[in-house]
Amino acid sequence: MNTEGDSETTFEEDSQPNDEVVPYSDDETEDELEDQVPVVEPEQNRVNREAEENQKPFRKGNRVGTWRPDCTWHVKANDRSFQEQPQFMNTKFLCIKESKYANNAIKTYKYNAFTFLPMNLFEQFKRAANFYFLILLILQAIPQITTLAWYTTLLPLLLVLGITAIKDLVDDVARHKMDNKINNRTCEVIKDGRFKIAKWKEIQVGDVIRLKKNDFIPADILLLSSSEPNSLCYVETAELDGETNLKFKMALESTHQHLQRENSLATFDGFIECEEPNNRLDKFTGTLFWRNTSFPLDADKILLRGCVIRNTDFCHGLVIFAGADTKIMKNSGKTRFKRTKIDYLMNYMVYTIFVVLILLSAGLAIGHAYWEAQVGNYSWYLYDGEDSTPSYRGFLNFWGYIIVLNTMVPISLYVSVEVIRLGQSYFINWDLQMYCPEKDTPAKARTTTLNEQLGQIHYIFSDKTGTLTQNIMTFKKCCINGQIYGDHRDASQHSHSKIEQVDFSWNAFADGKLAFYDHYLIEQIQSGKEPEVRQFFFLLAVCHTVMVDRLDGQLSYQAASPDEGALVSAARNFGFAFLARTQNTITVSELGTERTYHVLAILDFNSDRKRMSIIVRTPEGSIRLYCKGADTVIYERLHKMNPTKQETQDALDIFASETLRTLCLCYKEIGEKEFEEWNKKFMAASIASVNRDAALDKVYEDIEKDLILLGATAIEDKLQDGVPETISKLAKADIKIWVLTGDKKETAENIGFACELLTEDTTICYGEDINALLHARMENQRNRGGVYAKFIPPVHEPYFPSGGNRALIITGSRLNEILLEKKIKRSKILKLKFPRTEEERRMRTQSKRQLEAKKEQRQKNFVDLACECSAVICCRVTPKQKAMVVDLVKRYKKAITLAIGDGANDVNMIKTAHIGVGISGQEGMQAVMSSDYSFAQFRYLQRLLLVHGRWSYIRMCKFLRYFFYKNFAFTLVHFWYSFFNGYSAQTAYEDWFITLYNVLYSSLPVLLMGLLDQDVSDKLSLRFPGLYVVGQRDLLFNYRRFFVSLLHGILTSMILFFIPLGAYLQTVGQDGEAPSDYQSFAVTIASALIMTVNFQIGLDTSYWTFVNAFSIFGSIALYFGIMFDFHSAGIHVLFPSAFQFTGTASNALRQPYIWLTIILTVAVCLLPVVAIRFLSMTIWPSESDKIQKHRKRLKAEEQWQRRQNVFRRGASSRRSAYAFSHQRGYADLISSGRSIRKKRAPLDTIVADGSAEYRRTAES
């Protein structure tokens, strides 16, 4: 039985985490780990399982197999009927069944022609406000309780539902078009024994398909054969991981040999048993049963949907997962419905208004019951023929007031918000300053519901490759024999600030893409005065695993990493061009002379070695080892007598200060006898049956020593334009930036310095450093815990001393250790036995709760510590870890988050954050398709947040405050009027005025303010990022602001009612008649209300345009025009029951003192507001008020200047990133000859096991 002490250590790691590797598969979620089948299972379970297996055997190819719990997905080639068998059918609804195998059609739309109307109406009536007004409409159809005509609610409700439905329809039509574009792509599928053109949506599991060069892969398929040697297939995975370098896949030998022709593919009847669909991009487990033989399948034989076929004329594959079951779709994460912080706040405020409405209606209903008992029952002239009790009349009046006061809950609020958001989205789309002409890519707001949240961001989580950087490596500088090359200088070694770039026209193999300005290096190469210079570039030309191809007579390189490709291309431009390679030779053009070298061994790169070497025999017969790698490993293996060691180290420090990625280059002469002895050890290690990689690494160590240092290369991982400026301005806006990347720690740290997220003044903490801090904090919290712990208020204790600039750099494996995540937990869970007694079950549950509480506290502590740092860089993290980090900050800091990335590995993070931004570029469109906003360059993020986000937030807050104010001012007049009409639910306005108030008379000015208003210009918004903090602190819209608007509306309604009431008491007109009738009184209040609310929005407007002015005065004019029409005799003749205020407007408004009453009412409403605004701006001005006051003086824009780093020799303590791939290169393919184009050999000449051999000796 597991003890409590054991349970607390269940999460502990048995070994130190490896910072160089991605820690674990993305699909190993906590739930899955807990749901693993235990080693020891109850006896009854075992009996039931064995009985079920005995009853349900199934056939695989020509053999009967037993069910395996980990491989339950079965595919039969060229047999669509196989998937329709009963055991593969799932019940969808009642008796309707469908196959568990998804078809290949992608569906992202929500509606079709038949479901749009019912589903859309159902979704809209799920909104509390819409459903509320539907109930109101029903109540207004009951004549006993209504005092308002039914059309006063129906027309606004239809308008709201119609506008929302049109918007949803437009969005869904766009989704239909995108789905159809993808689903109607074509490829070749075997049908009726022949390859025929078919659409992607017609592909099914089990189909055999043919793909050609540059085709997108339509589904997850098993590679059967290709046009390349040994059925290699090169794929570009930019859609998946944002990396543009090619990766290779290879078919099984048997399928490679027998499945090349169309007829053999048509008769292929293989059976596949594999894992269920999942999101593990790098793992696949399965077995192919064919020709009475089983063949193991792994990820190296699977082509994933979303990848592109490159450098392969054609290939054939068997569809295993289709459509929604493909890994790219599974890996996209759950689509979350995102709502803004203001949305939630707005809903709570609407609920508050509901409560106020019910309380007011109940109070007025009680007042009516009391009035009926005291006055109504004794007033014969009020008898209406109904002998109802006062309490019953009060009950009816409760519903009557619910109808009359319904405009307190603004029906047009939600649709107005949607219209404003839509307009703001178009402004983002139309912003030419966020348009990238190089890629012809504008900014795109892919959602219209999150704009104001762009003005409230606290944390930004960014990918690195392709997001901060261009993913383009450029050779910038080098150090050869202690001399640095790469500065601006002429052939005489004189430096110049302005000099033309080097002309490589003398080199026939130069590609013309390298921009280099040091003419002295060219002089050194051509003169040959220093043989080390030529040796340096020769090493770059031979020590690599790059593949070469010729396209239209031009050399084309395909490298395992962009760094390696940049180095080989640089050697090519400097006169040492890699031309061709065979299994055991490599051909290089050395300054125009072609020479071929025998390759004796390739010692490939991996993340532990951090270096690669090649051993070649020169045409003269001598043997040399050439090596390149990270300075940390190269310097340990250098010969003691290296005269340029210190000079090269100084150069490395300089390169590091310039954030360049470096490699050290060295060589070694090897004697014939020494090589033969080493070769024997190498051969023995190559055929080792266990721990082969470890044995090879040990043998490599024996030869890679006593090396002679040649120099170092410096490559620039080029940042996107404007990245440092953007990060600087976002930091001034109090936005913290975290970088989450799958790259190595050194690379991520270097990019942090390059983009100025880190500086020389930054104190960097690493994962191993903070582990002790977190452990100590956990111990302190445990010691403070106890019976009274929950009564003690939490105390915030900082982890670091105040002051200083700190940053955290942590790897994925270290992150797992700190957050008590995964991996080792699996092995320990498997050892647990089933609880047999109630006591054991109780203790198991208690132990599990303690583990969860410990894990939650540890995660909270980590978030608190990380948030004390000005910057955080998480490297070697998986897509799921990226999403986990975002979720932790959301959960424990309650902060608004934004995630930005460019690849499919960023999709989960983008969907988890409050706002997701996709970079559209060369790395694919998966991130963009899942994002809320997209653009082409990271630098546009500052304009999206500091300009559009801030403006949208300010506009929405002003809109909501004003909207609530104008509805309170309008509706509460009924409340004051009720004290003078016996609480009878009589309205204070004409019915048509109530109908059109929110639709026509007061809608346009507030909409335009929500669309166009701005406190300061876009240039000043960017110049003063500190203005952004008002959104982060929720200063412009909160419950305090809401109650201020409520109070303002109450006071305005009192003035609107009581001043006209006082003016109408005991008055006589010019004609001797008293105009103080109900209808004239209603017109007076309505006229004063329209003028007040429209002039009030004029006071709230910061940015005046002709459109704003026209809307305000136009709304007032529209009101008077419609009112005179509705009060005319002609319309009364046509519709006598609907228009009863005949002649009221013309009779009332011809009285001068009524106009004076209206003017006095408007003045009393607005003058206090003007006075308060003036005092506020004079005594307590905000930052935007100050900038507005001095905006003319601030017109001269201050240009941001990049910080100049002053290099101090020997002062830098950091290492530059080493420029290598994250995984092994193509050495195994090169050495085995599987990648070399040649006449196909018989099967017995091909290496059977497909393992990596690292050497081929020279043929004598």
Side-chain angles (χ1 to χ4, degrees), residues 623-647:
I623 300 175
R624 276 195 175 186
L625 177 144
Y626 292 99
C627 178
K628 65 181 181 183
D631 57 344
T632 52
V633 296
I634 295 297
Y635 267 61
E636 295 172 356
R637 291 160 177 80
L638 292 179
H639 193 278
K640 293 181 180 179
M641 299 301 293
N642 264 289
T644 61
K645 188 174 179 180
Q646 185 57 46
E647 288 84 349

PDB file of all heavy atoms in Angstrom, residues 623-647:
ATOM      1  N   ILE A 623      45.677  12.045 -44.524  1.00  0.00           N
ATOM      2  CA  ILE A 623      44.376  11.934 -43.848  1.00  0.00           C
ATOM      3  C   ILE A 623      44.225  13.113 -42.896  1.00  0.00           C
ATOM      4  O   ILE A 623      45.131  13.405 -42.104  1.00  0.00           O
ATOM      5  CB  ILE A 623      44.264  10.600 -43.080  1.00  0.00           C
ATOM      6  CG1 ILE A 623      44.399   9.412 -44.039  1.00  0.00           C
ATOM      7  CG2 ILE A 623      42.938  10.517 -42.332  1.00  0.00           C
ATOM      8  CD1 ILE A 623      44.411   8.066 -43.338  1.00  0.00           C
ATOM      9  N   ARG A 624      43.060  13.761 -42.966  1.00  0.00           N
ATOM     10  CA  ARG A 624      42.794  14.893 -42.090  1.00  0.00           C
ATOM     11  C   ARG A 624      41.398  14.783 -41.474  1.00  0.00           C
ATOM     12  O   ARG A 624      40.467  14.310 -42.110  1.00  0.00           O
ATOM     13  CB  ARG A 624      42.896  16.207 -42.862  1.00  0.00           C
ATOM     14  CG  ARG A 624      44.312  16.738 -42.976  1.00  0.00           C
ATOM     15  CD  ARG A 624      44.296  18.174 -43.413  1.00  0.00           C
ATOM     16  NE  ARG A 624      45.633  18.738 -43.426  1.00  0.00           N
ATOM     17  CZ  ARG A 624      45.912  20.011 -43.654  1.00  0.00           C
ATOM     18  NH1 ARG A 624      44.915  20.849 -43.879  1.00  0.00           N
ATOM     19  NH2 ARG A 624      47.150  20.458 -43.655  1.00  0.00           N
ATOM     20  N   LEU A 625      41.319  15.264 -40.255  1.00  0.00           N
ATOM     21  CA  LEU A 625      40.021  15.406 -39.582  1.00  0.00           C
ATOM     22  C   LEU A 625      39.675  16.891 -39.526  1.00  0.00           C
ATOM     23  O   LEU A 625      40.504  17.705 -39.102  1.00  0.00           O
ATOM     24  CB  LEU A 625      40.071  14.818 -38.175  1.00  0.00           C
ATOM     25  CG  LEU A 625      38.794  14.963 -37.321  1.00  0.00           C
ATOM     26  CD1 LEU A 625      38.588  13.720 -36.455  1.00  0.00           C
ATOM     27  CD2 LEU A 625      38.834  16.192 -36.415  1.00  0.00           C
ATOM     28  N   TYR A 626      38.482  17.242 -39.970  1.00  0.00           N
ATOM     29  CA  TYR A 626      37.992  18.616 -39.884  1.00  0.00           C
ATOM     30  C   TYR A 626      36.801  18.616 -38.929  1.00  0.00           C
ATOM     31  O   TYR A 626      35.918  17.758 -39.022  1.00  0.00           O
ATOM     32  CB  TYR A 626      37.565  19.146 -41.246  1.00  0.00           C
ATOM     33  CG  TYR A 626      38.722  19.328 -42.209  1.00  0.00           C
ATOM     34  CD1 TYR A 626      38.999  18.372 -43.181  1.00  0.00           C
ATOM     35  CD2 TYR A 626      39.544  20.446 -42.144  1.00  0.00           C
ATOM     36  CE1 TYR A 626      40.063  18.528 -44.057  1.00  0.00           C
ATOM     37  CE2 TYR A 626      40.610  20.615 -43.008  1.00  0.00           C
ATOM     38  CZ  TYR A 626      40.867  19.652 -43.965  1.00  0.00           C
ATOM     39  OH  TYR A 626      41.921  19.806 -44.828  1.00  0.00           O
ATOM     40  N   CYS A 627      36.781  19.590 -38.032  1.00  0.00           N
ATOM     41  CA  CYS A 627      35.748  19.616 -36.997  1.00  0.00           C
ATOM     42  C   CYS A 627      35.225  21.033 -36.827  1.00  0.00           C
ATOM     43  O   CYS A 627      35.985  22.010 -36.921  1.00  0.00           O
ATOM     44  CB  CYS A 627      36.328  19.096 -35.669  1.00  0.00           C
ATOM     45  SG  CYS A 627      35.164  19.114 -34.281  1.00  0.00           S
ATOM     46  N   LYS A 628      33.942  21.150 -36.543  1.00  0.00           N
ATOM     47  CA  LYS A 628      33.338  22.431 -36.189  1.00  0.00           C
ATOM     48  C   LYS A 628      32.336  22.185 -35.059  1.00  0.00           C
ATOM     49  O   LYS A 628      31.685  21.132 -35.010  1.00  0.00           O
ATOM     50  CB  LYS A 628      32.654  23.091 -37.386  1.00  0.00           C
ATOM     51  CG  LYS A 628      31.455  22.326 -37.938  1.00  0.00           C
ATOM     52  CD  LYS A 628      30.858  23.040 -39.141  1.00  0.00           C
ATOM     53  CE  LYS A 628      29.635  22.279 -39.667  1.00  0.00           C
ATOM     54  NZ  LYS A 628      29.067  22.876 -40.874  1.00  0.00           N
ATOM     55  N   GLY A 629      32.237  23.143 -34.147  1.00  0.00           N
ATOM     56  CA  GLY A 629      31.321  22.952 -33.030  1.00  0.00           C
ATOM     57  C   GLY A 629      31.305  24.153 -32.104  1.00  0.00           C
ATOM     58  O   GLY A 629      31.946  25.183 -32.352  1.00  0.00           O
ATOM     59  N   ALA A 630      30.575  24.016 -31.006  1.00  0.00           N
ATOM     60  CA  ALA A 630      30.451  25.090 -30.016  1.00  0.00           C
ATOM     61  C   ALA A 630      31.794  25.314 -29.331  1.00  0.00           C
ATOM     62  O   ALA A 630      32.549  24.375 -29.095  1.00  0.00           O
ATOM     63  CB  ALA A 630      29.383  24.728 -28.994  1.00  0.00           C
ATOM     64  N   ASP A 631      32.092  26.564 -29.007  1.00  0.00           N
ATOM     65  CA  ASP A 631      33.390  26.874 -28.409  1.00  0.00           C
ATOM     66  C   ASP A 631      33.600  26.149 -27.087  1.00  0.00           C
ATOM     67  O   ASP A 631      34.720  25.791 -26.736  1.00  0.00           O
ATOM     68  CB  ASP A 631      33.541  28.388 -28.231  1.00  0.00           C
ATOM     69  CG  ASP A 631      32.425  29.002 -27.396  1.00  0.00           C
ATOM     70  OD1 ASP A 631      31.394  28.328 -27.225  1.00  0.00           O
ATOM     71  OD2 ASP A 631      32.585  30.138 -26.921  1.00  0.00           O
ATOM     72  N   THR A 632      32.511  25.901 -26.341  1.00  0.00           N
ATOM     73  CA  THR A 632      32.654  25.237 -25.045  1.00  0.00           C
ATOM     74  C   THR A 632      33.210  23.831 -25.180  1.00  0.00           C
ATOM     75  O   THR A 632      33.950  23.365 -24.303  1.00  0.00           O
ATOM     76  CB  THR A 632      31.281  25.174 -24.341  1.00  0.00           C
ATOM     77  OG1 THR A 632      30.326  24.597 -25.229  1.00  0.00           O
ATOM     78  CG2 THR A 632      30.832  26.547 -23.914  1.00  0.00           C
ATOM     79  N   VAL A 633      32.875  23.109 -26.243  1.00  0.00           N
ATOM     80  CA  VAL A 633      33.375  21.745 -26.425  1.00  0.00           C
ATOM     81  C   VAL A 633      34.665  21.717 -27.238  1.00  0.00           C
ATOM     82  O   VAL A 633      35.513  20.846 -27.031  1.00  0.00           O
ATOM     83  CB  VAL A 633      32.301  20.843 -27.077  1.00  0.00           C
ATOM     84  CG1 VAL A 633      31.107  20.691 -26.161  1.00  0.00           C
ATOM     85  CG2 VAL A 633      31.868  21.370 -28.424  1.00  0.00           C
ATOM     86  N   ILE A 634      34.845  22.646 -28.170  1.00  0.00           N
ATOM     87  CA  ILE A 634      36.053  22.659 -28.999  1.00  0.00           C
ATOM     88  C   ILE A 634      37.277  23.015 -28.165  1.00  0.00           C
ATOM     89  O   ILE A 634      38.339  22.384 -28.271  1.00  0.00           O
ATOM     90  CB  ILE A 634      35.895  23.632 -30.180  1.00  0.00           C
ATOM     91  CG1 ILE A 634      34.795  23.145 -31.131  1.00  0.00           C
ATOM     92  CG2 ILE A 634      37.213  23.798 -30.928  1.00  0.00           C
ATOM     93  CD1 ILE A 634      35.076  21.821 -31.801  1.00  0.00           C
ATOM     94  N   TYR A 635      37.150  24.016 -27.305  1.00  0.00           N
ATOM     95  CA  TYR A 635      38.297  24.469 -26.517  1.00  0.00           C
ATOM     96  C   TYR A 635      38.804  23.382 -25.570  1.00  0.00           C
ATOM     97  O   TYR A 635      39.984  23.359 -25.206  1.00  0.00           O
ATOM     98  CB  TYR A 635      37.939  25.741 -25.742  1.00  0.00           C
ATOM     99  CG  TYR A 635      38.297  27.007 -26.479  1.00  0.00           C
ATOM    100  CD1 TYR A 635      37.732  27.298 -27.711  1.00  0.00           C
ATOM    101  CD2 TYR A 635      39.229  27.893 -25.974  1.00  0.00           C
ATOM    102  CE1 TYR A 635      38.057  28.437 -28.409  1.00  0.00           C
ATOM    103  CE2 TYR A 635      39.581  29.050 -26.661  1.00  0.00           C
ATOM    104  CZ  TYR A 635      38.988  29.311 -27.885  1.00  0.00           C
ATOM    105  OH  TYR A 635      39.329  30.453 -28.584  1.00  0.00           O
ATOM    106  N   GLU A 636      37.921  22.469 -25.145  1.00  0.00           N
ATOM    107  CA  GLU A 636      38.349  21.374 -24.281  1.00  0.00           C
ATOM    108  C   GLU A 636      39.189  20.346 -25.025  1.00  0.00           C
ATOM    109  O   GLU A 636      39.888  19.550 -24.391  1.00  0.00           O
ATOM    110  CB  GLU A 636      37.114  20.675 -23.689  1.00  0.00           C
ATOM    111  CG  GLU A 636      36.289  21.552 -22.752  1.00  0.00           C
ATOM    112  CD  GLU A 636      34.996  20.879 -22.345  1.00  0.00           C
ATOM    113  OE1 GLU A 636      34.731  19.758 -22.862  1.00  0.00           O
ATOM    114  OE2 GLU A 636      34.258  21.445 -21.516  1.00  0.00           O
ATOM    115  N   ARG A 637      39.110  20.356 -26.357  1.00  0.00           N
ATOM    116  CA  ARG A 637      39.770  19.326 -27.157  1.00  0.00           C
ATOM    117  C   ARG A 637      40.926  19.868 -27.998  1.00  0.00           C
ATOM    118  O   ARG A 637      41.415  19.183 -28.891  1.00  0.00           O
ATOM    119  CB  ARG A 637      38.720  18.654 -28.054  1.00  0.00           C
ATOM    120  CG  ARG A 637      37.741  17.820 -27.239  1.00  0.00           C
ATOM    121  CD  ARG A 637      36.441  17.535 -27.971  1.00  0.00           C
ATOM    122  NE  ARG A 637      35.581  16.677 -27.153  1.00  0.00           N
ATOM    123  CZ  ARG A 637      34.831  17.126 -26.148  1.00  0.00           C
ATOM    124  NH1 ARG A 637      34.826  18.423 -25.846  1.00  0.00           N
ATOM    125  NH2 ARG A 637      34.104  16.279 -25.440  1.00  0.00           N
ATOM    126  N   LEU A 638      41.337  21.089 -27.752  1.00  0.00           N
ATOM    127  CA  LEU A 638      42.424  21.690 -28.516  1.00  0.00           C
ATOM    128  C   LEU A 638      43.782  21.227 -27.992  1.00  0.00           C
ATOM    129  O   LEU A 638      43.953  20.898 -26.814  1.00  0.00           O
ATOM    130  CB  LEU A 638      42.345  23.220 -28.430  1.00  0.00           C
ATOM    131  CG  LEU A 638      41.161  23.898 -29.128  1.00  0.00           C
ATOM    132  CD1 LEU A 638      41.227  25.403 -28.918  1.00  0.00           C
ATOM    133  CD2 LEU A 638      41.122  23.562 -30.608  1.00  0.00           C
ATOM    134  N   HIS A 639      44.745  21.225 -28.899  1.00  0.00           N
ATOM    135  CA  HIS A 639      46.130  20.946 -28.524  1.00  0.00           C
ATOM    136  C   HIS A 639      46.638  22.083 -27.643  1.00  0.00           C
ATOM    137  O   HIS A 639      46.244  23.241 -27.788  1.00  0.00           O
ATOM    138  CB  HIS A 639      46.990  20.809 -29.783  1.00  0.00           C
ATOM    139  CG  HIS A 639      48.337  20.219 -29.527  1.00  0.00           C
ATOM    140  ND1 HIS A 639      49.407  20.950 -29.059  1.00  0.00           N
ATOM    141  CD2 HIS A 639      48.801  18.940 -29.670  1.00  0.00           C
ATOM    142  CE1 HIS A 639      50.462  20.165 -28.930  1.00  0.00           C
ATOM    143  NE2 HIS A 639      50.120  18.932 -29.286  1.00  0.00           N
ATOM    144  N   LYS A 640      47.517  21.755 -26.722  1.00  0.00           N
ATOM    145  CA  LYS A 640      48.012  22.781 -25.789  1.00  0.00           C
ATOM    146  C   LYS A 640      48.727  23.910 -26.520  1.00  0.00           C
ATOM    147  O   LYS A 640      48.707  25.055 -26.079  1.00  0.00           O
ATOM    148  CB  LYS A 640      48.954  22.128 -24.781  1.00  0.00           C
ATOM    149  CG  LYS A 640      48.251  21.150 -23.839  1.00  0.00           C
ATOM    150  CD  LYS A 640      49.239  20.556 -22.846  1.00  0.00           C
ATOM    151  CE  LYS A 640      48.527  19.579 -21.909  1.00  0.00           C
ATOM    152  NZ  LYS A 640      49.474  18.955 -20.934  1.00  0.00           N
ATOM    153  N   MET A 641      49.377  23.584 -27.636  1.00  0.00           N
ATOM    154  CA  MET A 641      50.125  24.598 -28.368  1.00  0.00           C
ATOM    155  C   MET A 641      49.256  25.180 -29.480  1.00  0.00           C
ATOM    156  O   MET A 641      49.326  24.767 -30.638  1.00  0.00           O
ATOM    157  CB  MET A 641      51.407  23.984 -28.955  1.00  0.00           C
ATOM    158  CG  MET A 641      52.348  23.421 -27.904  1.00  0.00           C
ATOM    159  SD  MET A 641      52.870  24.675 -26.713  1.00  0.00           S
ATOM    160  CE  MET A 641      53.856  25.703 -27.797  1.00  0.00           C
ATOM    161  N   ASN A 642      48.373  26.103 -29.125  1.00  0.00           N
ATOM    162  CA  ASN A 642      47.531  26.796 -30.097  1.00  0.00           C
ATOM    163  C   ASN A 642      47.760  28.290 -29.930  1.00  0.00           C
ATOM    164  O   ASN A 642      47.211  28.927 -29.019  1.00  0.00           O
ATOM    165  CB  ASN A 642      46.050  26.468 -29.879  1.00  0.00           C
ATOM    166  CG  ASN A 642      45.571  25.349 -30.779  1.00  0.00           C
ATOM    167  OD1 ASN A 642      45.438  25.514 -31.986  1.00  0.00           O
ATOM    168  ND2 ASN A 642      45.338  24.173 -30.184  1.00  0.00           N
ATOM    169  N   PRO A 643      48.603  28.905 -30.772  1.00  0.00           N
ATOM    170  CA  PRO A 643      48.999  30.299 -30.556  1.00  0.00           C
ATOM    171  C   PRO A 643      47.865  31.301 -30.652  1.00  0.00           C
ATOM    172  O   PRO A 643      47.938  32.386 -30.070  1.00  0.00           O
ATOM    173  CB  PRO A 643      50.053  30.536 -31.650  1.00  0.00           C
ATOM    174  CG  PRO A 643      49.752  29.512 -32.691  1.00  0.00           C
ATOM    175  CD  PRO A 643      49.236  28.301 -31.954  1.00  0.00           C
ATOM    176  N   THR A 644      46.803  30.988 -31.386  1.00  0.00           N
ATOM    177  CA  THR A 644      45.721  31.970 -31.590  1.00  0.00           C
ATOM    178  C   THR A 644      44.521  31.710 -30.691  1.00  0.00           C
ATOM    179  O   THR A 644      43.436  32.223 -30.924  1.00  0.00           O
ATOM    180  CB  THR A 644      45.257  31.958 -33.060  1.00  0.00           C
ATOM    181  OG1 THR A 644      44.749  30.650 -33.376  1.00  0.00           O
ATOM    182  CG2 THR A 644      46.402  32.297 -33.987  1.00  0.00           C
ATOM    183  N   LYS A 645      44.714  30.905 -29.666  1.00  0.00           N
ATOM    184  CA  LYS A 645      43.593  30.518 -28.806  1.00  0.00           C
ATOM    185  C   LYS A 645      42.963  31.728 -28.109  1.00  0.00           C
ATOM    186  O   LYS A 645      41.746  31.903 -28.120  1.00  0.00           O
ATOM    187  CB  LYS A 645      44.102  29.500 -27.786  1.00  0.00           C
ATOM    188  CG  LYS A 645      43.021  28.845 -26.939  1.00  0.00           C
ATOM    189  CD  LYS A 645      43.629  27.757 -26.072  1.00  0.00           C
ATOM    190  CE  LYS A 645      42.563  27.103 -25.206  1.00  0.00           C
ATOM    191  NZ  LYS A 645      43.140  26.036 -24.357  1.00  0.00           N
ATOM    192  N   GLN A 646      43.801  32.591 -27.519  1.00  0.00           N
ATOM    193  CA  GLN A 646      43.284  33.738 -26.792  1.00  0.00           C
ATOM    194  C   GLN A 646      42.669  34.769 -27.731  1.00  0.00           C
ATOM    195  O   GLN A 646      41.604  35.345 -27.443  1.00  0.00           O
ATOM    196  CB  GLN A 646      44.398  34.391 -25.964  1.00  0.00           C
ATOM    197  CG  GLN A 646      43.917  35.535 -25.076  1.00  0.00           C
ATOM    198  CD  GLN A 646      42.811  35.116 -24.120  1.00  0.00           C
ATOM    199  OE1 GLN A 646      42.899  34.079 -23.463  1.00  0.00           O
ATOM    200  NE2 GLN A 646      41.732  35.902 -24.060  1.00  0.00           N
ATOM    201  N   GLU A 647      43.328  35.007 -28.888  1.00  0.00           N
ATOM    202  CA  GLU A 647      42.780  35.964 -29.856  1.00  0.00           C
ATOM    203  C   GLU A 647      41.411  35.510 -30.354  1.00  0.00           C
ATOM    204  O   GLU A 647      40.485  36.317 -30.517  1.00  0.00           O
ATOM    205  CB  GLU A 647      43.734  36.140 -31.035  1.00  0.00           C
ATOM    206  CG  GLU A 647      45.006  36.912 -30.722  1.00  0.00           C
ATOM    207  CD  GLU A 647      46.083  36.011 -30.124  1.00  0.00           C
ATOM    208  OE1 GLU A 647      45.751  34.843 -29.777  1.00  0.00           O
ATOM    209  OE2 GLU A 647      47.238  36.465 -30.008  1.00  0.00           O
TER     210      GLU A 647
END
